[in-house]
Amino acid sequence: NCESFVELYFVQLNHEAMKLIKEALIGTPFQKFVFTSNDNGDGVPAGMSVDAILGIVESNKRLRKLEIGRNRIGRDHIERLCSAVYTHPALVELEVFNCFEPGFGDTMLTSLLTSDDLKLEKLVMFSNNITSAVSTVLADFLASNPRLKELDLEEDNLNDSD
């Protein structure tokens, strides 16, 4: 059983080159998509936009795992990313790390955990400035015996008492 995948790490191409890559990937079936370090850690986009990544995800009905790391995701993209996760027919693993400014990680996690449409088996959201503000939502979600088998929130800002 062979897993097809596309992994793009530390890509620093101009907009036109990234647009060509996006166009080549739209509609191409693969099971895993990894896109890491789009902004070089300084918040300045250096490659593919979140909109382009989501376009690829939405066009690929075989995708099972999506990983986005060190790529700033703003409030305006949270709803679209959550919608893509809920409606995607095959996506069961989501890893989003070091992507959110303070407050936005809480918004993303709350959105995911309060939806009846969440089908994920694995959710990794480490280093996303997630705070104790999500404690009640998280406790309620875990108590509901979710389909989720793995949840990783390490290096976030949860208190020990949570």
Side-chain angles (χ1 to χ4, degrees):
N1 192 4
C2 184
E3 178 182 89
S4 55
F5 60 90
V6 173
E7 295 182 352
L8 302 169
Y9 292 97
F10 303 100
V11 176
Q12 295 182 27
L13 298 173
N14 66 33
H15 178 72
E16 289 304 313
M18 291 306 286
K19 188 175 175 183
L20 289 172
I21 291 172
K22 174 196 166 197
E23 289 170 7
L25 293 176
I26 292 284
T28 302
F30 49 89
Q31 295 173 313
K32 177 181 173 183
F33 184 40
V34 177
F35 192 82
T36 301
S37 293
N38 184 35
D39 67 6
N40 301 318
D42 59 8
V44 178
M48 195 174 293
S49 70
V50 175
D51 286 325
I53 293 167
L54 290 173
I56 293 166
V57 168
E58 291 164 348
S59 75
N60 181 350
K61 302 307 178 202
R62 291 184 53 202
L63 188 69
R64 295 186 53 76
K65 179 178 181 179
L66 172 62
E67 181 179 316
I68 304 172
R70 294 190 62 195
N71 188 56
R72 288 289 166 231
I73 299 173
R75 183 178 304 277
D76 53 329
H77 289 108
I78 291 173
E79 184 178 334
R80 184 168 173 210
L81 178 55
C82 288
S83 178
V85 170
Y86 304 146
T87 61
H88 197 283
L91 191 65
V92 292
E93 293 185 28
L94 177 64
E95 294 189 30
V96 182
F97 59 91
N98 200 13
C99 290
F100 297 103
E101 295 294 328
F104 296 163
D106 289 353
T107 301
M108 174 77 179
L109 185 61
T110 299
S111 252
L112 288 171
L113 299 185
T114 56
S115 171
D116 293 332
D117 298 322
L118 188 66
K119 301 175 297 235
L120 294 177
E121 295 173 3
K122 179 179 180 180
L123 176 59
V124 176
M125 288 190 64
F126 69 86
S127 293
N128 279 310
N129 294 301
I130 294 171
T131 68
S132 297
V134 300
S135 297
T136 302
V137 169
L138 184 57
D140 291 347
F141 176 77
L142 294 173
S144 70
N145 194 16
R147 178 178 180 176
L148 195 68
K149 295 176 184 169
E150 184 177 338
L151 176 64
D152 181 350
L153 300 173
E154 69 181 290
E155 297 182 29
D156 281 306
N157 300 318
L158 300 169
N159 295 326
D160 288 341
S161 63
D162 299 333

